[in-house]
Amino acid sequence: MDPPAAKRSRGCPAGPEERDAGAGAGAVRGRGRPEALLDLSAKRVAESWAFEQVEERFSRVPEPVQKRIVFWSFPRSEREICMYSSLGYQPPEGEHDARVPFTRGLHLLQSGAVDRVLQVGFHLSGNIRELGGPGEPERLYHVSISFDRCKITSVSCGCDNRDLFYCAHVVALSLYRIRHARQVELRLPISETLSQMNRDQLQKFVQYLISAHHTEVLPTAQRLADEILLLGSEINLVHGAPDPTAGAGIEDANCWHLDEEQIQEQVKQLLANGGYYGASQQLRSMFCKVREMLRMRDSNGARMLILMTEQFLQDPRLALWRQQGAGMTDKCRQLWDELGALWVCVVLSPHCKPEERVSWLQLLGKWDQLDVCPLEEGNYSFDGPSLQPTMALSPGRRGARSPCLSSPLGESDCRALQAGSLHWSDAHLQRILASDSYGPSLTGNVGSEKPTFDPQGRPLWLGEPFPTACARVDTLRAHGYPRQALRLASAIVNTLRLQRRHQLESYKQQKKELLQKGNTCITNTEGWVGHPLDPIGCLCRALLEACRLEEETLALYPDSGPEKRKAAYQHVPVPGSPGESYLALALEVALLGLGQQRALPEGLYAQDKVVRSEEQLLALLEEVELDERLVQVLRKQAGLLLEGGPFSGFGEVLFRESVPMHTCARYLFTALLPHDPDLAYRLALRAMRLPVLETAFPAGEPHPNPLDSIMSNRFPRWFILGHLETRQCELASAMLTAAKGDPKWLHAVLGSIQQNIHSPALLFKLAQDACKTATPASAPPDTTLLGIALELGLQVMRMTLNTMTWRRREMVRWLVGCATEIGPQALMNIMQNWYSLFTPVEAATIVAVTGTTHATLSRLQLDAPRREELWACARTLALQCAMKDPQNCALPALTLCEKNHAAFEAAYQIVLDAAAGGLGHAHLFTVARYMEHRGLPLRAYKLATLALAQLSIAFNQDSHPAVNDVLWACSLSHSLGRHELSAIVPLIIRSIHCAPMLSDILRRWTLSAPGLGPLGARRAAKPLGADRAPLCQLLDAAVAAYIATSHSRLTHISPRHYGDFIEFLGQARETFLLAPDGHLQFAQFLENLKQTYKGKKKLMLLVRERFG
């Protein structure tokens, strides 16, 4: 700002007791003495008039009057100083002093760091001494402050701190001037002092000034002297001279100092770091600061918002998102929503000048033409249906978006532009805002198009959309009109009540028809909770603010996060409404909004915002401690919600895609349960519905993907369906926990769960929670609740029977544990009905086994007959599973039936039958090894022969997976005796064509005599010869296999495999030599190879070198 061209001035110091003195005639000063008329007048002039205006109005202003005006022109309240020097968010613990300039400045003041304070006219200066760090010297900062009409208009500090607001040194000097005004040396503007000097004095003054600061001012002094001596110079054409201590001129804007460049830079940096949580928090703190300025009716609020909006529009991410066809990130959308809400408050200001509003609207119109923002989601508009005293039950389709909502800047700019057409000049509105006792006169509503009062004589506000009406309330609060905001809020609540009354009457007339149809169309084209203007939140906060009990402290941390103290509220009567309080109205409005039946908006962000808004609103309500009056409000509103029909989300008929009521119902259930359990349960049970799933899946039917929520591929619009189902589950869990010990409600809740919850994963969680609640560590179990947990578990088993997943094993184990907690009969029931619950593998390996472990039997504490009954049930289950799936269940069945001969024989026979039916050799070998381990070698031998009959190992399958099983079977047959060995040889020859394997088996059998027979008698005293039966057949087969394999390998052999082949021939020779004429056979074999493959000269050369 350029220095003013005329001089200004203000007067004498006053004590600290005057710093916040009022301007009224009845104000007192000091110890009860009335304030002087001069001070009262000077205060008013200092607040409202530039001193240039005083000088123009009065030809001569006495020096004492000038001094008093100058004195009172400095800000008198510390609240503005705090606002311009405090952060808008809670800094980390322990960093308050380090990061909040106001606190640091206060500490500097209290430590005596301020000295040499001088006020010359409208300019204040002083020195601040600040201790340095360890080992650092003390630092001295020179601070200068200019002010005008009780506002600081510019600041300068030697610390060169670049921040949004004033540094700690400016704060210290300002607080010193406010608190210790008498100690501040006061002078009139320097021009007044100069006017009292003669020529010699002026020359001496100038020369001394130049001498003291010659290095800084000498060039400027010489330039000015040259211009003054030049008669036609520009400086000689201007009357008077600038005086930086004389305050602002008449035409100068009167506003607090705001560093615009720094604000722009800060917002730009924060947007660049938009992905970080701290950046979003700081941007929100700046929004809070704008609201704080608006509340103080500070014009810088709009200035700061303009600067921030310009930086938002220059965010480089916008063009990138638009180019990619992508939407904004959620964090960015939230910030744009807050920006739009603030612009509505600014444009809708009740006290702004017409030219200011025009300039704002021109800016918004200019921004509206910019093609920068990505497309937005949602189905909200500013011009929704107006509040009407009556609303017929004529539900329409979902409201189409307003054309304005497709503007490039999006909904934020659009809503603010539309708010520009609103005004505050309506006579009825003015009367509502002006008085708490406004009521119908004798003329009443005569000639009026719409009623202005309800039947009780309370004012109504009709004719504009509910969100718009609530935006007026928010605007009044934002601009520092709390009483007026309360009056308008009360009128809106009266209107909502009247509207609801007529809605209920309309519904009662058509109730029978709607109940027969069973569904309805949506009655609200846009929801109030989650709306961009947040109408319910605005209304609730306005009403709660009037009831809040809190200390009068400077708001250093308006958004103090988790460390914020819990609010305390009291009942404040509503004028003109006996027996009502603003606290009760807030609760009623919140429940009305939360319980509104409304369609889920389109788009992920809009749906997510509905959820967030619900949670924020309920967090507000949970701060309110319920007393008897509020409980009565809860009971009444709950009853109205249940009877609300298509207008209520708790009504008997629902639109298919209406927002579920689970979160709201959980709050109501918890709040009502101690006072009216019947109403609490009825409300919560009604809210369990999830209409979009009820029409897709009849009761009890699972999802296509049962263990997950229905995803967007099935319901592309319901992006938050998984979250909504989780909330539904939480409501059900709360009811189950509360109903413990009450069979009536437990069964009612169970029925609702089975009808409305379609996600097996959530049903399983409910079953687990119910079981845990039913079995406390220090009390007897609740058998009814345990039964319900088991029933839910059984439902999950049935729903997921054909869906194999890792969670199934966990579920089966849990179900067995739950049945065990109930008793043996429950355990036997699930064993007897396993077909509809488990797969054969689950039943045989988990249910039967877990149900008969030592831990389970000890837990059940059964006598011998009951224990045997449980064992018999488990064995029957195992045998049934083995018959249904012998491949996977035969071995578990045999293991379980070991101690019962009849059952074991039955299981063994199942295996034999299955072998004939195609049971694989791997499973037969496994069972055979089990039989040997149990001391049944003949049965093991029988199964091994069955396995060998199914096996086929080719000539090149040296590493076949069944090699070890074959060698084990051969070893088993050798140990049983010659007869068994003779019987298995043909099977070996038929099944195995791999020469090395046959050779290995032959050598093993010739090393020792056959072992013990089945009766334990020795059958042979010496090893069997390879040239005699039964091994001679195996030897012939091995020799033939070597010959066939050699020819096969030579057909496609490459030189790099010659070495391997020579080794293979060496193994073959060892086998050939087991025969009496083996040497001749091998020589003949080699000769045949040489003749047949004589073309492979190198290979044949290697053969001759090795074998001759």
Side-chain angles (χ1 to χ4, degrees):
M1 182 185 295
D2 294 329
K7 55 188 175 68
R8 320 280 178 263
S9 61
R10 293 185 189 176
C12 294
E17 66 273 6
E18 294 177 317
R19 65 178 183 234
D20 289 316
V28 295
R29 183 181 62 180
R31 300 175 182 172
R33 291 172 295 172
E35 197 163 13
L37 182 60
L38 173 59
D39 280 319
L40 291 173
S41 303
K43 279 184 182 181
R44 298 297 294 175
V45 170
E47 289 171 356
S48 309
W49 288 15
F51 195 70
E52 182 182 31
Q53 187 176 359
V54 176
E55 290 181 317
E56 288 185 358
R57 177 76 178 271
F58 305 101
S59 58
R60 180 179 177 278
V61 181
E63 184 174 317
V65 175
Q66 291 187 43
K67 284 190 172 184
R68 299 316 292 168
I69 294 175
V70 169
F71 173 77
W72 288 114
S73 289
F74 194 83
R76 304 164 208 164
S77 170
E78 296 179 7
R79 188 167 294 276
E80 285 85 358
I81 308 299
C82 175
M83 181 174 71
Y84 278 94
S85 59
S86 62
L87 305 171
Y89 64 100
Q90 179 73 17
E93 183 66 29
E95 295 188 15
H96 292 188
D97 291 347
R99 297 187 59 180
V100 182
F102 184 84
T103 308
R104 287 181 54 211
L106 190 58
H107 289 167
L108 288 172
L109 174 66
Q110 294 170 344
S111 62
V114 184
D115 65 355
R116 300 189 67 182
V117 181
L118 173 66
Q119 179 179 342
V120 179
F122 296 83
H123 185 272
L124 183 70
S125 63
N127 291 339
I128 311 295
R129 299 182 181 276
E130 187 172 22
L131 295 176
E136 296 181 3
E138 182 181 71
R139 288 170 289 188
L140 179 67
Y141 300 105
H142 181 72
V143 181
S144 298
I145 298 174
S146 296
F147 53 90
D148 176 59
R149 283 168 275 185
C150 299
K151 294 182 178 71
I152 292 176
T153 55
S154 68
V155 299
S156 173
C157 180
C159 71
D160 293 327
N161 182 43
R162 298 285 293 171
D163 201 354
L164 290 179
F165 304 113
Y166 305 159
C167 68
H169 314 109
V170 171
V171 172
L173 181 60
S174 302
L175 294 181
Y176 185 93
R177 171 61 178 78
I178 292 173
R179 296 188 178 190
H180 307 291
R182 287 186 183 276
Q183 300 173 24
V184 176
E185 187 177 357
L186 179 66
R187 296 286 185 271
L188 290 177
I190 194 68
S191 53
E192 287 290 331
T193 305
L194 294 177
S195 67
Q196 298 173 18
M197 298 182 184
N198 58 30
R199 183 193 177 286
D200 293 338
Q201 291 173 319
L202 283 171
Q203 183 169 357
K204 184 177 289 190
F205 170 78
V206 172
Q207 288 183 219
Y208 267 98
L209 180 62
I210 293 173
S211 177
H213 302 284
H214 65 279
T215 57
E216 292 91 357
V217 304
L218 188 57
T220 304
Q222 186 60 55
R223 178 177 58 80
L224 291 175
D226 291 344
E227 290 186 14
I228 289 173
L229 291 174
L230 188 62
L231 294 178
S233 64
E234 183 179 352
I235 198 170
N236 285 321
L237 299 177
V238 178
H239 176 71
D243 181 359
T245 67
I250 297 175
E251 301 300 326
D252 293 332
N254 180 231
C255 57
W256 287 80
H257 169 69
L258 194 66
D259 191 336
E260 298 187 359
E261 181 182 344
Q262 186 60 25
I263 287 176
Q264 290 174 317
E265 184 62 28
Q266 184 85 358
V267 175
K268 182 178 179 180
Q269 290 180 3
L270 291 173
L271 287 173
N273 299 327
Y276 298 97
Y277 176 75
S280 297
Q281 283 295 94
Q282 291 190 54
L283 284 168
R284 287 193 179 91
S285 78
M286 295 178 74
F287 287 140
C288 289
K289 189 60 66 177
V290 170
R291 283 191 176 271
E292 193 178 352
M293 290 175 177
L294 294 178
R295 189 162 53 249
M296 303 287 285
R297 302 180 194 175
D298 187 336
S299 60
N300 278 340
R303 283 177 64 200
M304 186 170 172
L305 188 60
I306 291 171
L307 296 171
M308 293 182 71
T309 306
E310 288 173 344
Q311 292 305 309
F312 267 73
L313 289 168
Q314 294 172 22
D315 187 347
R317 295 177 299 170
L318 297 179
L320 180 64
W321 287 330
R322 192 170 187 88
Q323 182 182 3
Q324 296 173 344
M328 296 181 186
T329 63
D330 283 358
K331 287 182 180 178
C332 192
R333 285 190 182 279
Q334 291 173 32
L335 293 171
W336 275 91
D337 276 349
E338 293 182 45
L339 189 74
L342 275 172
W343 268 115
V344 171
C345 286
V346 168
V347 172
L348 201 51
S349 169
H351 61 248
C352 70
K353 298 174 183 176
E355 55 269 23
E356 287 180 319
R357 176 175 289 192
V358 168
S359 68
W360 295 332
L361 292 174
Q362 286 175 346
L363 263 179
L364 290 168
K366 173 186 171 184
W367 294 334
D368 186 47
Q369 303 305 315
L370 300 177
D371 191 17
V372 293
C373 281
L375 299 177
E376 300 195 22
E377 307 166 336
N379 52 327
Y380 299 103
S381 65
F382 196 90
D383 296 323
S386 300
L387 285 172
Q388 300 295 340
T390 61
M391 182 176 286
L393 190 58
S394 54
R397 63 178 180 88
R398 292 172 69 100
R401 295 183 64 182
S402 166
C404 186
L405 292 188
S406 60
S407 67
L409 188 53
E411 294 184 9
S412 307
D413 184 49
C414 176
R415 291 191 298 272
L417 280 170
Q418 291 172 328
S421 63
L422 302 176
H423 57 82
W424 297 86
S425 57
D426 182 90
H428 178 57
L429 177 60
Q430 289 291 330
R431 294 189 186 100
I432 290 175
L433 300 180
S435 172
D436 288 325
S437 56
Y438 176 43
S441 61
L442 292 177
T443 56
N445 297 326
V446 176
S448 176
E449 296 180 359
K450 55 189 178 184
T452 51
F453 299 95
D454 67 6
Q456 288 75 36
R458 296 173 297 198
L460 304 173
W461 178 238
L462 296 162
E464 66 184 13
F466 173 70
T468 306
C470 293
R472 288 186 184 272
V473 175
D474 189 39
T475 300
L476 289 168
R477 285 182 63 235
H479 287 277
Y481 297 96
R483 293 303 309 168
Q484 290 83 348
L486 273 179
R487 290 164 184 158
L488 182 56
S490 299
I492 294 172
V493 174
N494 296 335
T495 310
L496 290 177
R497 286 173 168 174
L498 186 63
Q499 179 176 290
R500 173 186 267 189
R501 192 177 307 135
H502 289 295
Q503 287 174 347
L504 289 175
E505 292 172 359
S506 171
Y507 169 57
K508 287 177 181 177
Q509 295 173 4
Q510 304 180 41
K511 181 175 181 179
K512 185 176 179 181
E513 177 187 349
L514 287 172
L515 290 179
Q516 286 175 347
K517 288 171 60 179
N519 57 19
T520 182
C521 297
I522 195 65
T523 57
N524 299 291
T525 55
E526 60 180 21
W528 295 339
V529 175
H531 191 282
L533 292 177
D534 190 20
I536 296 294
C538 292
L539 214 52
C540 282
R541 283 188 288 271
L543 295 166
L544 287 173
E545 189 178 57
C547 309
R548 186 163 183 160
L549 292 169
E550 61 179 351
E551 299 175 3
E552 284 293 326
T553 56
L554 294 176
L556 287 177
Y557 316 112
D559 182 18
S560 56
E563 297 181 7
K564 184 166 58 176
R565 290 180 291 108
K566 186 175 181 180
Y569 297 97
Q570 64 178 349
H571 284 283
V572 175
V574 179
S577 301
E580 289 193 347
S581 73
Y582 289 122
L583 194 56
L585 290 188
L587 181 60
E588 181 178 341
V589 165
L591 295 180
L592 195 148
L594 289 166
Q596 177 197 33
Q597 184 175 158
R598 57 201 184 272
L600 190 72
E602 298 173 1
L604 172 59
Y605 175 72
Q607 293 175 15
D608 185 60
K609 187 170 183 180
V610 168
V611 172
R612 272 200 323 274
S613 298
E614 281 187 348
E615 291 171 351
Q616 290 167 1
L617 205 51
L618 289 170
L620 272 180
L621 296 186
E622 285 167 357
E623 287 186 345
V624 178
E625 187 175 345
L626 298 176
D627 57 16
E628 186 58 35
R629 291 175 68 181
L630 295 181
V631 169
Q632 291 304 317
V633 172
L634 274 180
R635 296 175 76 165
K636 179 180 178 182
Q637 294 306 311
L640 289 172
L641 288 172
L642 287 172
E643 299 169 4
F647 301 97
S648 166
F650 294 86
E652 293 174 281
V653 287
L654 277 182
F655 174 60
R656 178 181 180 271
E657 296 191 17
S658 61
V659 176
M661 296 287 109
H662 309 133
T663 309
C664 174
R666 188 177 178 191
Y667 165 78
L668 287 170
F669 177 76
T670 305
L672 284 170
L673 190 63
H675 310 284
D676 193 338
D678 184 74
L679 180 59
Y681 279 108
R682 284 196 296 121
L683 193 78
L685 289 170
R686 180 75 65 81
M688 277 291 291
R689 299 170 297 183
L690 192 50
V692 71
L693 295 187
E694 289 174 11
T695 53
F697 304 106
E701 288 194 11
H703 288 171
N705 186 7
L707 288 180
D708 301 315
S709 299
I710 298 178
M711 303 311 293
S712 57
N713 60 348
R714 183 70 186 250
F715 297 96
R717 288 190 56 257
W718 286 65
F719 298 102
I720 59 169
L721 186 58
H723 176 85
L724 297 176
E725 288 185 293
T726 302
R727 290 287 178 263
Q728 183 187 35
C729 176
E730 290 171 355
L731 173 61
S733 181
M735 286 195 287
L736 282 176
T737 302
K740 179 182 177 182
D742 190 333
K744 170 193 169 186
W745 288 120
L746 279 175
H747 286 100
V749 174
L750 173 63
S752 179
I753 290 171
Q754 292 175 324
Q755 179 180 358
N756 295 297
I757 297 184
H758 304 278
S759 167
L762 295 176
L763 284 171
F764 181 56
K765 184 180 184 304
L766 279 175
Q768 288 178 304
D769 292 347
C771 184
K772 187 176 180 180
T773 304
T775 54
S778 57
D782 185 310
T783 54
T784 306
L785 188 52
L786 263 179
I788 284 175
L790 180 65
E791 181 59 36
L792 290 174
L794 294 175
Q795 182 176 346
V796 172
M797 291 295 102
R798 287 189 287 267
M799 293 171 72
T800 60
L801 181 58
N802 298 318
T803 307
M804 290 298 99
T805 172
W806 63 270
R807 293 214 68 187
R808 276 281 301 184
R809 297 185 66 83
E810 176 193 356
M811 293 173 177
V812 173
R813 287 193 184 95
W814 175 87
L815 189 69
V816 174
C818 183
T820 303
E821 291 291 337
I822 295 176
Q825 191 57 50
L827 194 54
M828 287 189 286
N829 284 341
I830 65 171
M831 290 182 182
Q832 292 164 357
N833 298 289
W834 72 270
Y835 285 101
S836 61
L837 302 172
F838 314 109
T839 65
V841 175
E842 291 170 344
T845 61
I846 302 177
V847 178
V849 173
T850 308
T852 53
T853 59
H854 176 73
T856 302
L857 296 174
S858 300
R859 176 72 177 166
L860 292 172
Q861 298 180 347
L862 301 177
D863 55 19
R866 291 286 286 170
R867 180 172 295 194
E868 179 54 34
E869 184 181 359
L870 180 60
W871 268 107
C873 193
R875 288 192 292 267
T876 303
L877 165 64
L879 292 173
Q880 291 172 345
C881 293
M883 292 179 67
K884 194 170 184 65
D885 185 4
Q887 183 171 325
N888 296 305
C889 300
L891 185 58
L894 285 167
T895 305
L896 197 70
C897 297
E898 280 180 351
K899 297 180 181 179
N900 186 281
H901 178 73
F904 188 81
E905 290 297 321
Y908 177 65
Q909 187 59 45
I910 290 172
V911 176
L912 294 178
D913 295 342
L919 185 62
H921 60 81
H923 294 93
L924 286 171
F925 275 128
T926 302
V927 178
R929 285 175 179 267
Y930 164 80
M931 288 296 185
E932 184 198 29
H933 182 69
R934 293 303 179 194
L936 301 167
L938 288 178
R939 292 190 174 186
Y941 173 79
K942 172 69 173 175
L943 294 172
T945 58
L946 292 173
L948 282 171
Q950 298 185 16
L951 182 63
S952 177
I953 299 179
F955 72 91
N956 58 349
Q957 291 183 301
D958 306 56
S959 56
H960 192 283
V963 167
N964 287 331
D965 288 327
V966 171
L967 294 177
W968 168 82
C970 293
S971 175
L972 174 66
S973 62
H974 184 266
S975 69
L976 290 175
R978 185 185 182 101
H979 177 73
E980 287 77 10
L981 187 63
S982 301
I984 206 172
V985 168
L987 292 174
I988 295 292
I989 295 172
R990 189 184 311 126
S991 302
I992 300 170
H993 307 284
C994 179
M997 273 193 71
L998 291 171
S999 177
D1000 188 19
I1001 295 169
L1002 183 62
R1003 284 191 180 83
R1004 288 170 184 261
W1005 279 349
T1006 57
L1007 291 176
S1008 61
L1012 295 175
L1015 301 178
R1018 293 293 291 180
R1019 288 191 163 189
K1022 58 181 179 179
L1024 296 173
D1027 57 338
R1028 291 180 297 175
L1031 299 188
C1032 61
Q1033 300 172 7
L1034 184 60
L1035 176 59
D1036 293 342
V1039 169
Y1042 271 115
I1043 293 171
T1045 304
S1046 297
H1047 285 290
S1048 177
R1049 293 181 67 170
L1050 285 170
T1051 304
H1052 303 290
I1053 194 168
S1054 63
R1056 71 173 182 273
H1057 294 132
Y1058 286 174
D1060 294 338
F1061 183 71
I1062 297 299
E1063 292 299 323
F1064 177 76
L1065 288 180
Q1067 297 173 10
R1069 182 173 63 177
E1070 293 176 2
T1071 303
F1072 273 76
L1073 294 177
L1074 292 175
D1077 57 346
H1079 180 74
L1080 293 175
Q1081 288 185 42
F1082 185 70
Q1084 186 179 2
F1085 167 57
L1086 288 180
E1087 189 62 30
N1088 186 17
L1089 288 182
K1090 293 172 186 176
Q1091 291 298 323
T1092 306
Y1093 302 101
K1094 59 185 177 181
K1096 300 182 183 294
K1097 295 180 181 180
K1098 185 177 180 180
L1099 176 60
M1100 292 304 108
L1101 179 62
L1102 292 174
V1103 170
R1104 288 190 185 94
E1105 289 177 356
R1106 176 75 179 270
F1107 303 107

